[in-house]
Amino acid sequence: MRTLTILGATGSIGESAFDLVMRAGGPQAYRVVALTGGRNVARLAEMARALQAEVAVTAHAEELPALRLALAGSGIEAAAGPQALVEAAARPADWTLSAIVGAAGLAPGLAVLERGGTLALANKETLVAAGRLVMATAARTGARILPVDSEHSAVFQALGGEDAAAVARVTITASGGAFRDWPVERLARATVAEASRHPNWAMGQRITIDSASMFNKALEVIEAREFFGLAPERIGVLVHPESIVHALVEHVDGGVLAHLGAPDMRHAIGYALNWPDRRPLPVAPLDLAAQGSLTFRAPDEVRWPALRLAREAMAAGGAAGAVLNAAKEQALDDFLAGRIGFSDMAARVEGALDRAAGEPGFCDSPADLDSVLAWDAFARRTARIAA
Ligand code: NDP
Ligand code: MG
């Protein structure tokens, strides 16, 4: 029986993965090694019971008593804290989904790669903050990374096994998020509630706000560069409000292969779960006649400075990905807490990148986890003040 682990099981991606695993037969179809979560220990325990997991882990030490209580009598182990997350990820499993949000996903993801496992990666922050280290670790241990971000899954599928380095151009699409059609002057006054409404995708709150600011696409451009080894000038972004075409792969002979589908993450998660096979998934069939039309436009870098910052970070290389990601996480925390406005987020990230560029060692790609975490801490400290 195939064994699997879900890191970040209680989140939006984690719930979709849980749904797919339950539909496939749950514990009759898979042996579940570990499930991890954060604050929602009641749901974590419920999932662990339904899947008869070996161990359930919360990221927060203070939640351990509640998790133990919720698992009482089940025989399922309970553990807590960041080190327990890494230990859970290090336990052998055939397939591990990383659906933790933020840089907290990096250490557990690396633990999967260190043991040579298959890592289905939704946590794009892992590749943005530590792309070189992550890819080098996978190459050294023989681990496999399967993309779960919908655009990257779409590129992976459209490539059909061809080497990304040989294609002319890869384009990922963006819905444009909540403020696609707002007057640019209004963005500075956008509220958290307004930024948390995505027109097409149901996702966690952080990635939904990152879609409105286009930081999500900025992270995804860097993710594509790191994962597929594409030169930055060969990665494009198109605003596509319908979210039906997820990515386009343009070959050197002018042939373009697009990946289309309803905006439902269960396709990309299920594709990675069943890879290299394809199995039916509970995703609505695509009805292009009902859809009628698909529209595309070039992204506006005045409205969305995050895209320019991604290009600058790729040009800088070195620690820029780690700094951009962590500064963005800090700026988002500050926006969520009401300390800064929506448009201040990009200014904070830009300020952190500028200051980091003057630091010794910035031009070198972080070679180990400690070095990534040091840049991460620097970026958070700096983003709190750098405007
Ligand atoms: P959610 O916020 O919905 O879920 C995040 C998960 O991580 C939850 O299980 C949460 O636990 C857990 N978590 C939160 N903080 C920590 C921490 N410090 N340490 C360990 N675990 C923690 O996020 P999403 O599911 O939306 O996104 C997950 C990842 O997938 C992100 O990297 C996102 O960019 C990416 N992604 C998401 C898509 C989507 O459709 N949602 C699409 C493409 C990519 P709890 O809730 O119990 O506190
Ligand atoms: Mg995406």
Side-chain angles (χ1 to χ4, degrees):
M1 198 185 272
R2 256 178 106 197
T3 54
L4 60 82
T5 280
I6 302 176
L7 308 169
T10 51
S12 165
I13 293 285
E15 284 284 359
S16 291
F18 176 78
D19 175 63
L20 291 176
V21 170
M22 289 304 284
R23 285 169 189 260
Q28 275 72 52
Y30 296 96
R31 193 163 67 71
V32 175
V33 178
L35 295 182
T36 83
R39 297 277 170 214
N40 196 350
V41 291
R43 181 63 182 144
L44 179 62
E46 198 172 70
M47 292 170 135
R49 284 177 185 273
L51 288 173
Q52 297 166 21
E54 278 171 25
V55 60
V57 185
T58 159
H60 310 290
E62 64 279 16
E63 302 285 0
L64 185 57
L67 181 60
R68 283 218 172 99
L69 194 63
L71 289 171
S74 68
I76 299 167
E77 278 175 65
Q83 189 50 36
L85 281 186
V86 171
E87 284 163 17
R91 291 191 186 200
D94 297 323
W95 187 88
T96 303
L97 173 65
S98 174
I100 291 172
V101 64
L106 178 56
L110 277 173
V112 175
L113 299 178
E114 282 292 348
R115 66 166 158 82
T118 294
L119 179 65
L121 189 63
N123 179 271
K124 61 194 82 183
E125 297 89 340
T126 295
L127 277 169
V128 175
R132 300 296 149 92
L133 170 62
V134 164
M135 298 310 281
T137 305
R140 172 166 55 76
T141 63
R144 181 179 286 285
I145 305 175
L146 295 170
V148 171
D149 211 344
S150 56
E151 298 77 2
H152 304 71
S153 173
V155 172
F156 187 76
Q157 294 181 52
L159 280 169
E162 286 197 50
D163 185 0
V167 304
R169 195 171 171 78
V170 161
T171 301
I172 59 175
T173 61
S175 68
F179 305 142
R180 181 177 63 212
D181 301 314
W182 276 35
V184 177
E185 337 50 274
R186 216 180 125 195
L187 292 181
R189 297 189 309 278
T191 65
V192 169
E194 287 165 335
S196 303
R197 276 182 229 124
H198 198 283
N200 305 344
W201 297 89
M203 308 188 285
Q205 187 186 31
R206 297 183 73 92
I207 185 175
T208 301
I209 298 176
D210 285 350
S211 298
S213 64
M214 223 31 122
F215 266 113
N216 181 48
K217 214 50 55 180
L219 299 183
E220 289 182 358
V221 168
I222 302 174
E223 179 187 13
R225 163 162 176 69
E226 300 296 341
F227 184 74
F228 295 109
L230 289 161
E233 62 276 13
R234 293 200 289 130
I235 308 167
V237 173
L238 261 183
V239 175
H240 169 46
E242 297 84 7
S243 295
I244 297 292
V245 177
H246 305 304
L248 303 116
V249 174
E250 186 181 333
H251 289 274
V252 289
D253 57 6
V256 181
L257 293 171
H259 179 279
L260 287 77
D264 183 336
M265 283 307 296
R266 290 178 305 177
H267 169 73
I269 301 165
Y271 176 80
L273 178 63
N274 296 325
W275 185 88
D277 300 330
R278 282 193 187 264
R279 302 209 182 119
L281 291 168
V283 173
L286 187 59
D287 184 346
L288 285 177
Q291 183 70 36
S293 64
L294 299 175
T295 59
F296 303 90
R297 61 177 111 140
D300 169 353
E301 291 197 1
V302 174
R303 177 182 299 275
W304 293 302
L307 295 175
R308 171 179 57 79
L309 295 175
R311 301 221 170 264
E312 290 173 6
M314 288 191 294
V323 171
L324 180 140
N325 181 65
K328 190 281 294 175
E329 289 190 27
Q330 180 64 50
L332 178 54
D333 286 344
D334 290 339
F335 174 61
L336 283 166
R339 290 187 286 267
I340 63 174
F342 182 79
S343 303
D344 298 329
M345 288 192 284
R348 292 292 172 109
V349 173
E350 184 158 19
L353 278 167
D354 286 348
R355 286 185 202 195
E359 292 291 307
F362 176 73
C363 296
D364 307 320
S365 290
D368 52 33
L369 180 59
D370 284 346
S371 149
V372 180
L373 297 180
W375 281 111
D376 180 289
F378 171 89
R380 285 175 207 260
R381 269 196 317 275
T382 312
R384 275 184 226 127
I385 45 165

